[in-house]
Amino acid sequence: MSSIKDVDPQVFTAIEHEKKRQAEGIELIPSENYTSAAVLEACGSIMTNKYSEGYPGKRYYGGQENTDIIENLAIERAKQLFGAEHANVQPYSGSPANTAIYFALLEFGDTVMGLKLDHGGHITHGLPISFSGKAYNFVQYEVDKTTGKIDMEEVRRLALEHKPKLIVAGFTAYPRDIEWKKFKEIADEVGAMTMADISHTAGLIAGGVLESPVPYFDVVMTTTHKTLRGPRGAMILCKEKFAKAIDRAVFPGLQGGPHEHIIAGKAIAFHEALQPAFKEYAQQVQKNARHLAQAMKAKGFNLVSDGTDTHLILADLTNKGVPGKQAQAVLDSVGITLNKNTVPFDSRPPMDPSGIRLGTPAITTRGMKEPEMDMIADWLDRVISNIEDTTLHAKIKEEVKTMCLKFPVPGITF
Ligand code: DSN
């Protein structure tokens, strides 16, 4: 960082403060993680200097002998990690990847099914104000009001009624595993294609903790920076018969030059995820989430679907009398970062919803285990039950910092 310090002290100072924030605080946002130092080096490397429109062996500009090596490594490792027939590692991030898939498989106006945003889906799964909701006729399915889980009978009923061309399964705020086989059976019954968005759970699937949709689904996409623990970006996996359409939709359909420094980071992250240690990591992420969920329930937290199968927990704070926005802000002030979130059938508005969303990918990367989950549940309870007590908040901030400094963050040294 010495060059940044010389050239731009303002950016340098902000990065230094962010290092301190990451090291001294508990990161519970379930879509965040800490990449390895090796991935960080690749993302900050001279690979950022190169344009490489096209694909390995078929580029538009010269000088591609090294970009081709790196991108081919990323492709082959992605295929190996997920047992996929084809991989495209160029999508800049999750929303562009989803947009490219729709562009490849659909005509504008086609009918698609996706999980509603406030029931755990993503904006690109058909939110009416997003590109997906405007360009396609999305029919949105919901979770069951009693169980908090996706009602597969309702999904089937909607599919039979609306005959979608594509069914999207996947989530950003749903604590349970997805019944991939059932989705595929329903899609086959109505002649729909299938797309899985495993952005949140890709690391758990790669680590063998959750079932994979790859054997069943036509197209599977994931961001690379969540449980998969790579750089900020995405990739698309698909059956060979969709490979050409997907590649053309990513480039030149949607994107220009790929970010080869990030693709180098993806290649390294996939290599790391292929190692035995990553399986242990994935198992511990799930164990920690289950333990934290139990510990929160014991403190009277009301969890959507009453628990978790994954890395993610969604708590409805209505019974605690504290709105999600206030909980997020006060927890932030003690060094615990999570996000306010709507809960299914929320009576409050999205910018000040009833719930909070939290998860264990980042804290597990630091090596935290069950004893630390108990401490975190205790802090969550004490802060939320004493939301106005700033003296207590200051004390908890010190306790949080003391615990965090025992668990170094990869890539952060002082
Ligand atoms: N922003 C991501 C998340 O937090 O889940 C989804 O896009």
Side-chain angles (χ1 to χ4, degrees):
M1 294 264 292
S2 59
S3 305
I4 305 179
K5 191 176 181 183
D6 288 345
V7 171
D8 194 332
Q10 286 169 297
V11 169
F12 174 80
T13 303
I15 296 176
E16 284 298 303
H17 288 167
E18 178 60 14
K19 275 188 187 173
K20 192 169 145 63
R21 190 193 70 80
Q22 291 191 14
E24 293 181 359
I26 296 173
E27 185 52 73
L28 292 178
I29 295 176
S31 47
E32 296 190 11
N33 211 330
Y34 307 106
T35 65
S36 67
V39 169
L40 289 174
E41 282 174 17
C43 295
S45 75
I46 47 79
M47 293 309 296
T48 195
N49 297 341
K50 189 74 194 106
Y51 255 124
S52 56
E53 281 104 329
Y55 290 101
K58 288 170 284 180
R59 307 279 195 187
Y60 287 82
Y61 301 165
Q64 305 293 347
E65 56 269 40
N66 304 307
T67 51
D68 279 6
I69 289 171
I70 289 170
E71 194 166 330
N72 276 327
L73 282 170
I75 290 169
E76 289 311 314
R77 290 171 183 172
K79 285 162 65 179
Q80 189 187 344
L81 192 56
F82 290 95
E85 292 177 16
H86 180 76
N88 185 311
V89 296
Q90 293 192 0
Y92 300 142
S93 206
S95 295
N98 287 353
T99 306
I101 295 168
Y102 301 150
F103 197 49
L105 304 183
L106 304 170
E107 300 298 328
F108 293 133
D110 276 347
T111 298
V112 191
M113 278 175 59
L115 180 60
K116 208 173 180 182
L117 181 70
D118 53 0
H119 285 241
H122 187 248
I123 44 178
T124 58
H125 298 176
L127 183 70
I129 57 164
S130 87
F131 167 80
S132 62
K134 284 186 188 292
Y136 305 101
N137 173 36
F138 261 88
V139 174
Q140 305 245 269
Y141 52 93
E142 301 184 345
V143 300
D144 179 83
K145 203 165 186 171
T146 316
T147 63
K149 297 180 185 175
I150 295 170
D151 178 352
M152 295 308 293
E153 275 314 306
E154 178 64 4
V155 172
R156 180 165 179 267
R157 193 191 64 71
L158 286 170
L160 288 168
E161 182 185 337
H162 295 280
K163 300 271 185 298
K165 193 165 171 187
L166 176 71
I167 297 181
V168 181
F171 60 78
T172 57
Y174 180 71
R176 295 296 176 174
D177 201 5
I178 300 281
E179 295 181 81
W180 305 115
K181 269 190 220 159
K182 272 203 184 154
F183 267 105
K184 174 66 174 152
E185 278 165 24
I186 293 167
D188 285 348
E189 201 177 339
V190 299
M193 292 177 283
T194 43
M195 167 184 156
D197 179 339
I198 59 166
S199 295
H200 265 265
T201 50
L204 301 184
I205 290 168
V209 167
L210 295 179
E211 196 192 11
S212 172
V214 171
Y216 317 112
F217 272 49
D218 295 316
V219 182
V220 176
M221 64 71 60
T222 179
T223 48
T224 45
H225 49 270
K226 297 188 175 89
T227 48
L228 201 47
R229 218 162 57 175
R232 193 156 294 276
M235 70 168 154
I236 302 172
L237 309 168
C238 66
K239 302 284 185 215
E240 193 56 49
K241 73 171 180 170
F242 296 103
K244 214 168 171 183
I246 290 291
D247 284 353
R248 278 194 183 155
V250 173
F251 175 83
L254 189 71
Q255 296 188 172
H259 295 173
E260 292 295 345
H261 57 310
I262 302 297
I263 291 175
K266 290 175 188 174
I268 295 166
F270 302 157
H271 171 72
E272 290 170 347
L274 281 162
Q275 307 310 309
F278 194 82
K279 279 197 168 45
E280 284 168 36
Y281 164 69
Q283 284 162 5
Q284 192 63 44
V285 168
Q286 189 191 44
K287 275 191 213 163
N288 280 350
R290 285 183 172 157
H291 194 94
L292 181 56
Q294 280 305 328
M296 287 176 71
K297 277 168 67 175
K299 304 265 180 206
F301 282 94
N302 183 8
L303 305 188
V304 172
S305 84
D306 201 36
T308 181
D309 298 324
T310 61
H311 62 300
L312 185 151
I313 296 166
L314 193 56
D316 183 345
L317 299 183
T318 307
N319 66 332
K320 299 274 181 189
V322 177
K325 188 177 170 184
Q326 188 183 14
Q328 174 185 309
V330 178
L331 285 164
D332 223 355
S333 77
V334 307
I336 298 178
T337 315
L338 45 64
N339 66 273
K340 61 180 179 289
N341 215 97
T342 50
V343 295
F345 309 99
D346 208 326
S347 55
R348 298 182 61 89
M351 287 309 288
D352 189 8
S354 300
I356 49 171
R357 185 186 71 150
L358 56 157
T360 52
I363 52 178
T364 307
T365 293
R366 293 177 82 160
M368 294 180 195
K369 292 195 168 149
E370 287 82 349
E372 288 73 36
M373 299 308 115
D374 288 329
M375 293 167 81
I376 291 170
D378 191 54
W379 287 321
L380 291 172
D381 178 49
R382 282 161 66 207
V383 171
I384 289 172
S385 302
N386 301 281
I387 202 77
E388 307 287 351
D389 187 345
T390 49
T391 312
L392 178 70
H393 301 166
K395 184 171 175 287
I396 291 177
K397 186 175 184 174
E398 281 310 306
E399 291 171 12
V400 166
K401 183 175 160 184
T402 305
M403 189 270 269
C404 282
L405 291 178
K406 294 184 187 144
F407 296 91
V409 175
I412 297 188
T413 46
F414 289 103

